[in-house]
Amino acid sequence: MKIVCIGGGVAGLYFGLLMKQHNPSHDITVVERNRAYDTFGWGVVFSDATMENMRRWDIKTADEIQQAFNHWDDIELHIKGRTIRSGGHGFVGIGRKKLLNIMQARCEEVGVKLVFEQEVDSDADFPDADLIIASDGLNSKVRTKYQDTFKPDIALRPNRYIWLGTNKVYDAFNFLFEKTEHGWFQAHVYKFDEQTSTFIVECPEHVWLAHGLDKADQQQSIEFCEKLFASNLKGEKLMTNARHLRGSAWLNFQRVTCEQWSLHNGKSHVVLMGDAVHTAHFAIGSGTKLALEDAIELTAQFKTLGDTPEHIPEVLARYQAARSVDVLRLQNAAWNAMEWFEVCGERYCDQLAPEQFMYSMLTRSQRISHENLRMRDKVWLEGYERWFAQQAGVAANDSAPPPPMFTPLTVRDVTLKNRVMVSPMAQYSCDNGLVDDYHLVHLGSRAMGGAGMVMVEMTCVSPTGRITPGCPGLWDETQRDAWKRIVNFVHQRSDAKIAVQIGHAGAKGSTRLGWEGIDKPLVEGNWPLISASPLQYLPGVSDTARAMTRADMDEVRDQFVRSTKWAAEAGFDWLELHCAHGYLLSSFISPLTNQRTDEYGGSLANRLRYPLEVFAAVREVWPQNLPMSVRISAHDWVEGGITPLDAVEIARAFKAAGADLVDCSSGQVSKAEKPVYGRMFQTPFADRVRNEAGVQTIAVGAISEADHVNSIIAAGRADLCAVARPHLANPAWTLTEAAKIGYTNVTWPPQYRSGKSQMETLFQRERAQAAAAVPGGKG
């Protein structure tokens, strides 16, 4: 085959090299616009795992790179006058110029033709090529030419960064944070040869503008950064090798994704590779990794399917199918890391202690979890766990510290033994709002299963406030007494606390039981519905709710107060006000459901007016020594609806009204929603609300293992984790997860203790077998 690689970066060179090695008969040319052995940029970084992948495909090139690279395991944080160091992370640093020079020499050695100082304007310049690799970088001309086919999505990110170098040599990957009168700057620093380190300085746009860096030339920017990081540089200078760029050298990162990766231009097959098809933020150093693995995968597909022109269409289809999954996974991790650095100045630098800031930074991509950190640096993590436990009030001693999941949380006069809450889950099993033996068994078994607190399903304040005829209520004394029986059981038979969540269904009421057609109206026996505005939850299907009058508001507020009083008499430890998911109070908050033109509609402050009125009335009669939380929908997932930024303001308002925690859920306000699901997918809302609004939060949504809980709590992303469906499958989920991670200092009900050691032994055996089967572990 005749193959032309447009662009002599990592992707084009490495693919040319691998394909020529696979089949020397291929005619392969790499065309580069710069001069021979001339390149720009400082150092690049990738992981040990990427290096091993290269070794499997081309050991000679890998060996040459290994001889030239700098390897380190440690990450070092500098913030607020503190230095914290953690090891076991496994990175490789090498000068970009050195890396490309090695690949250029290897290409020449195996017979790949290298053409320098040739600007390529179009793939049409090579009409006789069977395959054209468009590895022409971030600003790919080929991608732009065929943008209607490739369908690129290019997101320009808000932070500004400048890529510099220094002759100061660092022995770890350093993250430096400095605060100015206008905000925070951070530097990403790593050694890439014996004399030089990469030094990337980054800050938010508004901080950059406030310092006048938009008007600074390159030399002025360098001098600014030297002064800013003078205490770390200790007299060393910063350097640029981008003098060829006009004006400011500060850039915005561009995240690139493409819907289609290849096409036929009428004469040749064309495929995008490297930064032309996808980019990953330098926060996790994966751009080089992506380019290398693109080259490896495309070569692998040719090797498997055949490397003749007839095989190209199938190869390119398989290549995109195989790579797109891995690329998306890595881009998502890079996106998480990038966003962390974009908001850390507003959200973490001032709010978190250096110890917790370090943990949050290490786990920013969500690819590194609590137990993965233990594999990387057990000593550092146990030290952090000890520090965290002390902050939670656990006395220091010589024994191993508890994982963050198993530290206590005290709110007002209530202390939860751990950070796990059984999330409220509708059971649709009441008769006229009355809980019975089913609920005693359901809630009692989960209270005995190790969770710090069990929160009962939304309990309705009136018969017409129910979602379904099977929902529980607290509108009469009989219901109060039925709840008291369950509360007493939980208190007598477990050390868990029990919370009640009270709410009113609003426009989402008068529907069938969940397994009979969720959200669909009752066939008969419907009751009238009320909401902030006239509303059909399911357009054309649901009954229409009428807009509440002021008299309605007074009546419903008083119903919430009555239910609260009875909840206190029933002995509940904690009360949550349901202001989420499109139910009555939520319908006032979201602009999707509130179309009022009076003082309860319009601005967010107006839309919050009635929910805050209800909250205040409830807080007044709920015992002052007991906690009260509020559940909100932190994101409507619909354009024009509530956003996470709104959620911060909502949380601030409820905090000012006396809320102790904000339970951060999302969605279920409109059927037009388009949520983005994934593990812990709502945790970022809890994180943002906690650290920007300054209120404790509850994370909920796809939290399914101890590693999730530990990572969330340890990083300060939330203070409690509400775990739902795993508790449906296993009432003793918390005790099971403790045994899985080898934490044995948990109390089991005395009746079940004979099963404790057996479970712990079985999981210990599984861990030992897994460790024996996988000698590595850092990934």
Side-chain angles (χ1 to χ4, degrees):
M1 287 193 301
K2 185 175 179 60
I3 301 171
V4 176
C5 301
I6 303 174
V10 171
L13 286 171
Y14 200 51
F15 176 72
L17 170 60
L18 294 182
M19 278 298 285
K20 191 68 173 179
Q21 285 191 144
H22 167 60
N23 188 340
S25 68
H26 291 318
D27 179 356
I28 303 176
T29 303
V30 178
V31 184
E32 168 57 41
R33 66 180 179 178
N34 294 315
R35 293 175 297 176
Y37 292 93
D38 189 12
T39 185
F40 299 97
W42 293 103
V44 296
V45 60
F46 44 95
S47 70
D48 286 348
T50 303
M51 196 68 212
E52 286 305 311
N53 197 13
M54 291 181 69
R55 189 175 299 282
R56 286 191 291 270
W57 280 88
D58 178 22
I59 192 166
K60 186 171 183 180
T61 304
D63 283 344
E64 290 189 30
I65 291 172
Q66 184 167 358
Q67 291 173 13
F69 72 39
N70 288 270
H71 179 274
W72 66 91
D73 278 328
D74 292 357
I75 290 176
E76 191 167 278
L77 166 69
H78 298 258
I79 189 170
K80 300 175 184 175
R82 296 278 305 281
T83 300
I84 301 176
R85 192 174 181 117
S86 167
H89 302 283
F91 289 98
V92 174
I94 185 171
R96 174 175 166 78
K97 181 173 182 178
K98 182 65 175 177
L99 175 63
L100 295 183
N101 289 170
I102 289 172
M103 289 185 171
Q104 288 165 352
R106 284 284 293 132
C107 281
E108 291 179 328
E109 183 180 319
V110 300
V112 175
K113 288 176 283 187
L114 302 181
V115 178
F116 294 98
E117 297 183 76
Q118 180 175 331
E119 188 76 41
V120 178
D121 293 320
S122 171
D123 55 300
D125 294 350
F126 309 98
D128 58 343
D130 297 300
L131 176 64
I132 296 172
I133 305 295
S135 50
D136 51 342
L138 174 65
N139 299 309
S140 170
K141 292 181 179 179
V142 176
R143 186 189 66 223
T144 301
K145 177 181 177 181
Y146 298 110
Q147 59 185 342
D148 290 344
T149 299
F150 291 131
K151 293 183 173 60
D153 178 9
I154 302 174
L156 187 68
R157 301 306 300 172
N159 269 20
R160 290 281 180 163
Y161 70 93
I162 185 169
W163 205 295
L164 302 171
T166 179
N167 288 134
K168 180 179 179 183
V169 176
Y170 294 78
D171 64 349
F173 199 128
N174 276 242
F175 292 97
L176 319 177
F177 290 83
E178 293 290 346
K179 189 176 185 180
T180 72
E181 67 273 25
H182 298 301
W184 286 87
F185 284 78
Q186 60 256 11
H188 311 240
V189 189
Y190 54 89
K191 171 184 172 182
F192 65 83
D193 64 29
E194 292 306 317
Q195 298 85 32
T196 328
S197 300
T198 293
F199 202 103
I200 309 167
V201 180
E202 181 184 14
C203 68
E205 178 95 358
H206 71 274
V207 176
W208 181 73
L209 290 170
H211 280 284
L213 291 168
D214 56 321
K215 300 178 180 66
D217 61 24
Q218 288 191 46
Q219 187 57 38
Q220 290 170 328
S221 291
I222 290 171
E223 291 170 358
F224 174 88
C225 293
E226 286 175 342
K227 182 178 179 181
L228 180 63
F229 293 101
S231 62
N232 185 272
L233 286 167
K234 299 187 184 305
E236 291 288 349
K237 296 294 185 180
L238 294 175
M239 307 174 288
T240 179
N241 61 7
R243 299 287 184 188
H244 61 291
L245 296 178
R246 294 180 179 178
S248 173
W250 293 86
L251 305 171
N252 294 88
F253 176 75
Q254 296 181 59
R255 196 286 309 270
V256 176
T257 61
C258 291
E259 184 177 314
Q260 180 66 27
W261 292 17
S262 63
L263 56 78
H264 192 273
N265 67 9
K267 294 184 178 180
S268 309
H269 290 278
V270 181
V271 61
L272 301 176
M273 187 177 286
D275 283 352
V277 68
H278 47 57
T279 57
H281 193 263
F282 54 81
I284 63 170
S286 293
T288 305
K289 170 186 171 72
L290 284 175
L292 291 167
E293 293 181 350
D294 282 353
I296 289 171
E297 182 60 39
L298 187 53
T299 305
Q301 292 296 338
F302 275 117
K303 186 175 180 180
T304 300
L305 300 173
D307 57 346
T308 67
E310 294 74 25
H311 292 102
I312 293 176
E314 184 181 5
V315 165
L316 296 184
R318 293 277 190 92
Y319 164 67
Q320 179 174 346
R323 280 296 289 148
S324 59
V325 175
D326 286 339
V327 167
L328 179 61
R329 186 182 299 117
L330 197 142
Q331 280 191 310
N332 285 343
W335 185 273
N336 293 336
M338 172 191 69
E339 284 194 322
W340 190 93
F341 281 107
E342 288 173 353
V343 303
C344 65
E346 297 289 331
R347 195 176 297 173
Y348 307 122
C349 290
D350 292 308
Q351 291 87 332
L352 302 183
E355 291 85 354
Q356 191 165 46
F357 186 89
M358 176 69 160
Y359 185 100
S360 178
M361 186 183 74
L362 290 176
T363 58
R364 64 191 181 276
S365 72
Q366 297 185 21
R367 292 193 351 167
I368 298 175
S369 68
H370 195 78
E371 291 307 311
N372 188 262
L373 275 178
R374 195 181 307 281
M375 294 171 65
R376 291 166 181 247
D377 191 342
K378 182 179 180 180
V379 173
W380 180 84
L381 184 67
E382 287 190 356
Y384 177 70
E385 287 180 330
R386 193 174 304 280
W387 175 87
F388 188 91
Q390 290 171 356
Q391 309 310 303
V394 178
N397 54 50
D398 294 334
S399 62
M405 171 177 172
F406 291 99
T407 58
L409 176 69
T410 298
V411 185
R412 299 202 183 218
D413 287 352
V414 174
T415 297
L416 307 183
K417 63 179 178 178
N418 60 48
R419 305 303 184 98
V420 178
M421 180 183 97
V422 178
S423 196
M425 294 174 282
Q427 299 297 294
Y428 309 113
S429 298
C430 289
D431 183 11
N432 195 31
L434 194 65
V435 292
D436 57 20
D437 288 349
Y438 170 81
H439 301 86
L440 177 67
V441 173
H442 169 67
L443 296 167
S445 61
R446 280 145 187 87
M448 295 173 68
M453 183 165 71
V454 175
M455 184 171 286
V456 308
E457 64 193 284
M458 187 176 92
T459 301
C460 306
V461 297
S462 68
T464 56
R466 291 174 295 170
I467 309 167
T468 76
C471 291
L474 248 179
W475 63 77
D476 66 35
E477 289 150 311
T478 304
Q479 294 162 344
R480 176 201 62 192
D481 295 341
W483 276 120
K484 188 172 185 177
R485 175 172 174 249
I486 294 172
V487 170
N488 288 344
F489 178 89
V490 170
H491 288 160
Q492 293 165 9
R493 295 295 185 177
S494 80
D495 53 2
K497 303 301 182 183
I498 183 167
V500 63
Q501 182 190 73
I502 59 172
H504 189 296
K508 295 179 71 175
S510 192
T511 62
R512 305 173 201 176
L513 305 185
W515 48 83
E516 293 178 352
I518 193 165
D519 293 328
K520 293 183 178 179
L522 292 171
V523 176
E524 58 183 9
N526 296 85
W527 52 82
L529 304 177
I530 54 174
S531 187
S533 300
L535 179 69
Q536 269 189 312
Y537 179 63
L538 297 180
V541 176
S542 299
D543 291 345
T544 300
R546 65 172 176 81
M548 291 179 74
T549 64
R550 183 61 247 190
D552 294 326
M553 294 183 198
D554 292 341
E555 181 181 7
V556 170
R557 179 201 60 213
D558 293 345
Q559 290 169 349
F560 272 98
V561 169
R562 179 184 62 191
S563 294
T564 301
K565 290 178 179 177
W566 277 330
E569 291 175 12
F572 283 104
D573 303 297
W574 186 300
L575 185 139
E576 180 165 283
L577 185 66
H578 203 321
C579 295
H581 299 168
Y583 297 128
L584 184 68
L585 297 181
S586 168
S587 75
F588 276 86
I589 298 173
S590 174
L592 300 176
T593 49
N594 185 340
Q595 305 299 319
R596 300 178 74 100
T597 57
D598 60 8
E599 65 268 36
Y600 300 100
S603 68
L604 179 59
N606 280 359
R607 301 196 310 271
L608 278 167
R609 192 185 303 274
Y610 182 62
L612 288 171
E613 178 185 325
V614 173
F615 183 94
V618 168
R619 180 69 266 187
E620 186 176 355
V621 298
W622 181 244
Q624 289 301 302
N625 65 314
L626 298 181
M628 188 170 166
S629 56
V630 57
R631 173 166 278 199
I632 66 170
S633 284
H635 197 328
D636 283 346
W637 302 107
V638 178
E639 187 174 353
I642 291 295
T643 67
L645 179 61
D646 295 325
V648 173
E649 295 306 314
I650 294 167
R652 284 181 176 140
F654 279 110
K655 177 190 176 185
D660 299 296
L661 285 91
V662 176
D663 189 348
C664 298
S665 187
S666 71
Q668 302 179 54
V669 172
S670 166
K671 281 299 182 181
E673 67 184 6
K674 294 181 180 179
V676 180
Y677 293 112
R679 60 191 178 96
M680 302 181 285
F681 74 106
Q682 294 177 148
T683 297
F685 308 142
D687 182 358
R688 182 169 187 174
V689 165
R690 182 184 192 272
N691 291 299
E692 291 187 19
V695 62
Q696 292 183 308
T697 59
I698 303 171
V700 61
I703 299 169
S704 59
E705 56 188 69
D707 216 13
H708 294 166
V709 178
N710 280 322
S711 300
I712 292 167
I713 300 301
R717 297 185 176 106
D719 301 275
L720 275 176
C721 288
V723 179
R725 293 175 186 176
H727 275 117
L728 293 179
N730 180 5
W733 180 85
T734 304
L735 297 179
T736 304
E737 289 298 306
K740 276 186 181 178
I741 64 173
Y743 183 65
T744 60
N745 190 22
V746 291
T747 302
W748 282 48
Q751 300 90 338
Y752 296 166
R753 283 176 190 163
S754 60
K756 181 176 186 287
S757 60
Q758 182 186 50
M759 179 184 283
E760 290 167 351
T761 300
L762 289 172
F763 281 125
Q764 184 181 30
R765 188 177 302 154
E766 286 185 11
R767 290 194 302 274
Q769 291 171 346
V774 184
K778 285 182 289 192

